[in-house]
Amino acid sequence: MSSTLIVLNLKTYLEGTGEGAVKVAQACKEVADDSGIEIGVAPQFCDIYRVASQVDLPVYSQSLDPVGAGSFTGHAFAQCVKDSGAIGTLINHSECRLTLANIDASISAAKGVGFRTIVCTNNVATSAAAAALGPDYVAVEPPELIGSGIPVSQADPEVVTGSVEAVKRIDPAVQVLCGAGISKGEDLVAALELGSVGVLLASGIVKAADPGAALEDLVSKI
């Protein structure tokens, strides 16, 4: 298995909802098996069990609340998310932002159940701050490029290289993913050349006419 990591965020896209989430996950599984590259998916909470029980690949939650067992109506409890089949979680996505204190608490809650943690950031400074909290990964994604089709590796490569350098200074054990506008093979190659170990992506694959073909293109150049 390659050390490269691809995580596909299904967001609340209709194409990635319900049975659609399973179909996208199955496409990810097929490409992962053929390429030897680890590909995980982050479906909506209600689809975690559906996907994890039908497709053998890493499943992440899209967020997680820093709560324990008890009186926390409406929250996403880490143990429940784990029992649904997830192995990790995104934290602080630009569409679900948290305070620094809540990022820290969410990481702790996730680690408490053995989750892999991916903290999303939007610039070098926030990447450094996130690294200080000890997640497994920092995923740097300038929000203005998310869903734009313009890869961050082209539009703002310095935010990737700067984040890689900053994270390494803070905690060499934390790895960096590159996100925003990633959809093609050359985008993944560029992200890796800038020092990241993989990518976090969404619409370029989930909303593609053929997600499997789009994924095959994504991994075709490595």
Side-chain angles (χ1 to χ4, degrees):
M1 182 68 73
S2 167
S3 60
T4 300
L5 174 64
I6 296 170
V7 178
L8 182 60
N9 181 8
L10 306 189
K11 302 194 176 185
T12 59
Y13 295 130
L14 284 175
E15 296 88 343
T17 296
E19 285 305 310
V22 175
K23 290 178 182 178
V24 173
Q26 287 170 335
C28 290
K29 169 67 173 171
E30 291 172 6
V31 174
D33 287 347
D34 290 343
S35 66
I37 295 172
E38 182 177 345
I39 304 177
V41 296
Q44 297 166 61
F45 286 118
C46 294
D47 286 329
I48 290 175
Y49 180 78
R50 184 197 304 264
V51 171
S53 62
Q54 296 186 54
V55 188
D56 182 18
L57 86 170
V59 177
Y60 296 78
S61 62
Q62 296 180 4
S63 65
L64 190 71
D65 291 320
V67 300
S71 303
F72 298 102
T73 301
H75 289 78
F77 174 35
Q79 187 62 54
C80 183
V81 176
K82 179 180 181 179
D83 290 347
S84 295
I87 60 92
T89 185
L90 306 182
I91 297 171
N92 193 51
H93 191 276
S94 65
E95 296 159 0
C96 189
R97 285 187 175 172
L98 303 174
T99 64
L100 189 62
N102 279 339
I103 295 171
D104 188 23
S106 294
I107 292 172
S108 295
K111 287 185 174 181
V113 296
F115 268 5
R116 183 184 288 183
T117 51
I118 302 174
V119 176
C120 300
T121 62
N122 64 343
N123 56 40
V124 175
T126 56
S127 295
L133 303 177
D136 295 295
Y137 297 89
V138 167
V140 59
E141 295 187 299
E144 66 273 14
L145 296 177
I146 293 176
S148 69
I150 304 171
V152 62
S153 54
Q154 292 181 17
D156 192 3
E158 292 80 11
V159 76
V160 182
T161 55
S163 291
V164 169
E165 293 168 2
V167 167
K168 283 184 178 179
R169 284 196 301 269
I170 299 295
D171 186 346
V174 179
Q175 297 182 299
V176 176
L177 300 176
C178 176
I182 306 294
S183 62
K184 297 181 173 59
E186 53 264 34
D187 302 337
L188 177 54
V189 169
L192 297 177
E193 289 176 346
L194 291 171
S196 73
V197 299
V199 293
L200 174 64
L201 70 169
S203 61
I205 304 297
V206 183
K207 295 176 72 65
D210 184 341
L215 282 164
E216 288 172 358
D217 178 75
L218 182 72
V219 303
S220 64
K221 293 180 168 40
I222 60 172

